[in-house]
Amino acid sequence: MKAVEIKNGVYWVGAVDWAVRDFHGYETTRGTTYNNYLIMDDEVTLLDAVKSNFMDVSIKNIKSVVDPSKIKNIVINHIENDHASGIGAIMELTPNAKIYITEKGRKGLERFHDLSKWNINIVKTGNTLTIGKRTLMFLETPMLHWPDSMMTYIKEDKILVSQDAFGQHLASSVRFDDEFVTCESMSELDDAVTDYYANILMPFGALIKSKIAEVQKLGLEIDVIAPDHGIIWRAHPGKTIQRYLDMANGAAALSVAIIYDTMWHSTEQMTLPIVQGIRDAGVDCKVIKLRASAMSVAIKEFWKARACLIGTPTLNNIMYPSVAHFLTHLRGLRPKNRMVGAFGSYGWGGGAVKEAYEEFKRMGLEAVEPGLQILFKPSLDDEMKCYEYGKAFAEKVKEYHNKF
Ligand code: FEO
């Protein structure tokens, strides 16, 4: 790879990680990129570093434009390791560069690096930095998704460097949305956006709405949204912002995600008539078996659908471990505006379905009770009960969906 010019004098100098599949537990089935940006102006300025083991790639890209020792300013929008762990390598090449960072960012960064010899400058929302013909404006975005997070707006080029927001974990040979749509597909890109939002940003819907409102109030014109992961948005940045607003408002399809696991195939057998019942009620349905799917895919499918049915066998009087794992992970993402129910088979004594409802209650989700439990293996009569259960659940989902 080499530097890619975004606008005259503004370059992508990041790295593509085709191989990563475990991103601190998020299963990145499409890999990712670590984006950082170089601005050639009177004062050469770097926006963000990349993950330390990819910093040599970024430095090569910088060198394709300018000698790194010429970098005068480094903006650190976010200190998470995938962006800031490479900062030491670039500081070795330009030790007198001034660093611009939020106060919370500085406090975090000093836990990872010796800052005593670095020229650290604290910035807040609305502060600006003139680097020649260009002015950078900083916008703090605390808890999107870390306390230190901020964005940088390049005023003259109308580029919003948005850090993790508007990103996707998507390795690609191209850098821009219009190129990706041509060489891959819009649906692939859209799916990557949903996947990223569901797995990282789901808890922060209210914050996302308030930050977008703040950007709009500031009257910032945006030609390009340049996130720190994935594809850069230049074709329709307004549509990308609207897409985020829709997701922050809890938009979902009128459909049910059945997310289940099974021990001896009885719970799995229950899913088939339940699917049929849901479909016969006029609602779409998707089935995800947990141990056959990436956790990130299960989270994404949960998020896409207005409702979810959890299928879990009882093991040792509690939920099946993979189901408990999924629900614990989901609880951390603080889902809202979703309807849920649970079903499963049991042997000597139940427990799993009851426990699933306890977890729904902890999450504050709209739970349809009672769940459905079947002893050992579904009989033909039981299969009819499953069908009716699916149909009745779908009717409730339709009513619930109409509220949004
Ligand atoms: Fe891409 Fe929060 O780091």
Side-chain angles (χ1 to χ4, degrees), residues 23 78 80 82-83 145-146 163-164 169 196 228-229:
F23 194 99
H78 179 30
E80 194 165 4
D82 50 325
H83 308 291
H145 67 127
W146 273 24
Q163 169 258 126
D164 279 332
H169 284 312
Y196 187 91
D228 277 2
H229 294 291

Side-chain angles (χ1 to χ4, degrees), residues 146-380:
W146 273 24
D148 63 285
S149 301
M150 71 170 180
M151 298 182 187
T152 300
Y153 180 64
I154 311 171
K155 196 175 162 195
E156 290 71 16
D157 300 293
K158 300 178 184 169
I159 299 174
L160 181 68
V161 177
S162 61
Q163 169 258 126
D164 279 332
F166 303 107
Q168 333 88 47
H169 284 312
L170 181 60
S172 170
S173 59
V174 297
R175 302 277 61 82
F176 299 102
D177 49 357
D178 48 301
E179 294 174 329
F180 188 87
V181 167
T182 303
C183 75
E184 299 277 346
S185 73
M186 187 62 219
S187 58
E188 173 86 1
L189 180 53
D190 196 55
D191 192 67
V193 169
T194 308
D195 187 80
Y196 187 91
Y197 188 97
N199 281 280
I200 297 179
L201 297 172
M202 194 194 296
F204 308 118
L207 276 169
I208 286 166
K209 283 194 282 184
S210 70
K211 273 297 149 191
I212 289 176
E214 197 176 327
V215 167
Q216 287 166 339
K217 199 172 167 189
L218 286 166
L220 306 186
E221 288 180 55
I222 297 170
D223 277 0
V224 175
I225 300 173
D228 277 2
H229 294 291
I231 293 296
I232 297 165
W233 303 96
R234 70 177 179 188
H236 306 288
K239 279 189 186 171
T240 304
I241 291 171
Q242 187 56 49
R243 175 97 168 80
Y244 256 64
L245 276 174
D246 291 345
M247 290 191 288
N249 281 319
L254 174 56
S255 66
V256 177
I258 297 183
I259 297 174
Y260 80 100
D261 216 326
T262 197
M263 193 169 162
W264 287 109
H265 302 291
S266 295
T267 299
E268 190 163 61
Q269 193 182 331
M270 292 174 74
T271 64
L272 301 176
I274 289 174
V275 168
Q276 196 57 54
I278 293 169
R279 293 283 310 161
D280 285 355
V283 174
D284 280 340
C285 186
K286 192 155 189 173
V287 180
I288 310 288
K289 181 179 177 181
L290 281 168
R291 279 177 300 154
S293 308
M295 174 66 73
S296 57
V297 171
I299 294 288
K300 176 187 69 182
E301 294 302 336
F302 171 89
W303 175 246
K304 282 164 66 178
R306 179 59 70 201
C308 174
L309 279 175
I310 294 293
T312 175
T314 293
L315 178 63
N316 298 327
N317 299 113
I318 59 173
M319 284 187 284
Y320 203 64
S322 56
V323 179
H325 180 202
F326 169 75
L327 288 177
T328 301
H329 195 101
L330 184 66
R331 178 154 50 88
L333 291 166
R334 305 201 293 274
K336 289 186 179 61
N337 303 325
R338 298 296 187 274
M339 178 169 265
V340 286
F343 65 92
S345 74
Y346 66 101
W348 305 281
V353 167
K354 179 169 170 279
E355 201 186 24
Y357 276 91
E358 287 166 1
E359 195 65 286
F360 297 155
K361 198 171 174 185
R362 268 186 224 119
M363 287 189 260
L365 294 170
E366 182 86 11
V368 177
E369 295 192 73
L372 180 63
Q373 298 186 82
I374 296 292
L375 180 64
F376 283 120
K377 182 176 168 58
S379 64
L380 281 177

